[in-house]
Amino acid sequence: MTLSSTNPPKSLFAVDARTRKRNAAEARFRLYGLIAVGIGVLALIVLLTSVLGNGLGAFRQTFLQLPIALDAAKLDPSGNRDGEAMKKVTTIGYGKVIQTALIAEISQRGIATEGVSAKDIFGLVSKEAPAQLRDQVLANPGLIGQTITFKGLANGRVDGFFKGRVSMESAALDSNISPAQLVLAQQMRDAGMISVSFNPAFIFGSDASELRPESAGLGVAILGSAYMMLIVLALALPIGVAASIYLEEFAPQNKWTDLIEVNISNLAAVPSIVFGILGLAVFINFMGLPQSAPIVGGLVLTLMTLPTIIISTRASLKSVPPSIRDAALGIGASKLQSIFHHVLPLAMPGILTGTIIGLAQALGETAPLLLIGMVAFVREYPGAPPDGFFEPASALPVQVYNFTQRADPAFVERASGAIIVLLVFLVVMNTIAIILRRRFERRW
Amino acid sequence: MNDMTLTEKPVNASDIKITARNVQVYYGTTHAIKDVDVDIPDRTVTAFIGPSGCGKSTFLRCLNRMNDTISICRVTGNIALDGQDIYDKRVDPVQLRAKVGMVFQKPNPFPKSIYDNVAYGPKIHGMTRSRAELDEVVEGCLRRAALWNEVKDRLHAPGTGLSGGQQQRLCIARAIATSPEVLLMDEPCSALDPIATAQVEELIDELRSQFSVVIVTHSMQQAARVSQRTAFFHLGNLVEYGETGHIFTNPSDPRTESYITGRIG
Ligand SMILES: Nc1ncnc2c1ncn2[C@@H]1O[C@H](COP(=O)(O)OP(=O)(O)O)[C@@H](O)[C@H]1O
Ligand SMILES: [Mg+2]
């Protein structure tokens, strides 16, 4: 009675103060949530636009296209198309051939070259171009004596000019390029001698020195990363799953297993650089494995990934209902049979998701690789596995770091391009994780 | 029905399948089963009744050593199947469980096809030599579990897609597929509706012709309907054990009487 006297009955349509307060709190909370999500999305958009804006250019490159007469007298003095003898002609010799052909083509097209010396004209060509031509000829000596259409890299500054990175003003201050050269380059582009097109060498080619950013590629880094992922997958998945099954299903509950459990959780939180130091001390200094090799990187990343895989595998084993184990044991299945026939298949989606997340982490890991020497400049592709595992290679995230350490601003574009490649790999891996999850997921 | 079956097939004391003597079970320091002696006859349904937590499931799980899977559980005393001590060092519990099958409280079919559920036991025990033989076993078990007609057109559909009662009969088919001698059932109907319960009870009555069936139930009506022998547990003790008709009509212990009349439980 007292209640109804203090709270006189009201219409359902009138909202009382308490309800209004509750609704206001809910509305506020929704707003905070929206703001939080908004900040996250905004950060992602900024990151993506910055990376894409800077990096997409790396996939396109400026090329020079010109007919070159491959004079036998200059390129194969011995005259019998013998590979060893032809190798005696160095890139300097090929450079002269390109220079001659370039000047001839420019004057033939009637492009004015006042104020630009022959050396400056040749300066429009990448230092990599003679090597490209030489490789082409050595691979196919039959070309000698013919006139071929050669498509070679343009100098990084010219490339930067067409991508908007280099301007007339900056060229005036730049010892590597002059405004007059850029004017000439623009005329050559108008004449169709210079074009900007897709550059597969950025993905498949190998790294290049500081002086020729235009020819730097990610091939060695991608191969090195792929090798390491193979090693991580081949070691961490079986070891991690076996360890989890043992700990979850067989190990007795005592202080030793408790200790192991705590340590595995701690291991997952250990800074990755510590694993690098461990790898340096154990795998390189103690076991004598080669530096910069994918095998060492793979082993270090395996150690790093193991706790992630073990934790997620144990969680998914735990989530399998005990009634399934009872059912199997109850009809006389052995413990191992009940695990392999029933528990493991049900835990599979979780195990695979954990594994791929661990792999994705490992793929992006940089710090431990720096310590084991994978930061070295590597131009040679590692061979096919298993020998290739022991040959020097680079890794994608380290390559990004490497590019950012170089002085030439053209490498900023390369670094962002490498980040795009890395992100594409991560997106692909996460997609695979989702697909596998869907496939293996079963209801019970 | 009880009286009829009892006269039809009197319990023969020489036909004892399982003998338990002086059985104690501890969970850590908890003494869950105290001094239980019991003789379970062959080709009979024996019911374990008693209030919740009195140790019925615990004792049932001693009979096929399912308690081995609980690390803190310790069993002492003597339990013999056909005169052989099942806790002997030489006994492999895996082999024992093929002979002493179990059906659980909650239907727990494997998330596999109906066929695979039943075929799993014979497969892992290498009981069949050919696919045709396996097909025959699966059909036979599903027929004995009174499920064949309902599932014969969808043997390869998932077992988890069946109704609760069908799932439980599938679990029974799975349990009898390993040709056990004893079938343990822990409250097999507690998750089922009355119609499914009636079907399973009918099935249990039929299984009696081939197996020694031990059923845990919290329903006294069920015990009265399906069993010939009843054991009443209270706080870990076996209070009274005898012919079902006798226990329900003329209990000798006051605790049994209060339970049956609904005063404890
Ligand atoms: N896994 C276990 N760990 C510890 N104690 C248990 C466990 N299972 C059962 N108990 C204890 O043993 C006693 C008997 O349990 P249970 O056999 O399940 O009883 P009922 O099946 O008759 O309801 C209870 O007191 C219960 O708390
Ligand atoms: Mg119970």
Side-chain angles (χ1 to χ4, degrees), chain A residues 190-228:
Chain A
D190 295 340
M193 285 178 71
I194 287 181
S195 61
V196 181
S197 64
F198 176 65
N199 178 24
F202 176 62
I203 300 170
F204 302 111
S206 57
D207 196 8
S209 75
E210 185 108 19
L211 294 176
R212 46 192 94 171
E214 63 274 10
S215 78
L218 297 171
V220 176
I222 290 177
L223 205 58
S225 278
Y227 281 5
M228 289 195 291

Side-chain angles (χ1 to χ4, degrees), chain A residues 287-311:
Chain A
M287 289 171 62
L289 289 172
Q291 286 205 5
S292 313
I295 182 79
V296 180
L299 287 173
V300 168
L301 294 178
T302 298
L303 290 181
M304 243 193 63
T305 315
L306 262 178
T308 314
I309 294 186
I310 292 180
I311 289 172

Side-chain angles (χ1 to χ4, degrees), chain B residues 27 32 51-58 70 72:
Chain B
Y27 289 111
S52 182
C54 67
K56 308 177 297 283
S57 300
T58 300
I70 300 170
I72 58 165

Side-chain angles (χ1 to χ4, degrees), chain A residues 64-68 98 101-103 105 148-152 193:
Chain A
L64 274 158
Q65 209 157 357
L66 68 160
I68 294 183
I98 294 177
L102 181 62
I103 291 172
E105 176 70 7
I148 61 163
T149 308
F150 174 64
K151 190 175 176 190
M193 285 178 71

